[in-house]
């Protein structure tokens, strides 16, 4: 019986972890989208170099979102195998 309880807790932990990661992904992508809009506005106003400079601020956010997505996917695959 202890094994079944442990498995249920693990499933809850997996669910909570994936939910948290997805929330963090959305947060980073929302921030990146705002930066993208600002970069587009700069380019639209004729300041394409400044637009690119601003757009590069998305790089870390996109890296983090991708890393979180990879982690959530891995956790999900491991949970399905157990």
């Amino acid at each position: 019986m202890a094994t079944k309880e442990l498995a249920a807790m693990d499933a809850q932990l997996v669910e909570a972890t994936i939910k948290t990661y997805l929330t963090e992904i959305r947060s980073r992508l929302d921030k990146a989208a705002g930066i993208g809009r600002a970069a587009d506005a700069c380019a639209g106003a004729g300041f394409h170099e400044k637009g690119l400079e601003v757009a590069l601020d998305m790089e870390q956010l996109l890296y983090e979102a991708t890393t979180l997505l990879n982690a959530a996917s891995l956790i999900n695959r491991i949970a399905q195998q157990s």
Side-chain angles (χ1 to χ4, degrees):
M1 180 129 181
T3 304
K4 288 182 182 179
E5 289 176 11
L6 182 58
M9 286 176 45
D10 287 342
Q12 290 175 350
L13 180 58
V14 166
E15 183 179 339
T17 301
I18 290 174
K19 182 180 176 187
T20 299
Y21 285 3
L22 294 175
T23 299
E24 290 298 319
I25 290 168
R26 181 186 47 85
S27 173
R28 282 162 176 78
L29 292 177
D30 286 347
K31 290 176 186 175
I35 293 169
R37 285 188 294 275
D40 187 42
C42 287
F47 302 105
H48 65 278
E49 289 182 14
K50 183 62 176 176
L52 179 58
E53 180 183 329
V54 170
L56 290 174
D57 288 341
M58 290 186 286
E59 187 175 17
Q60 182 65 30
L61 293 166
L62 296 175
Y63 170 77
E64 290 173 8
T66 300
T67 301
L68 286 162
L69 179 59
N70 289 338
S73 178
L74 179 61
I75 290 168
N76 188 56
R77 283 194 306 268
I78 290 169
Q80 288 177 351
Q81 292 174 357
S82 53

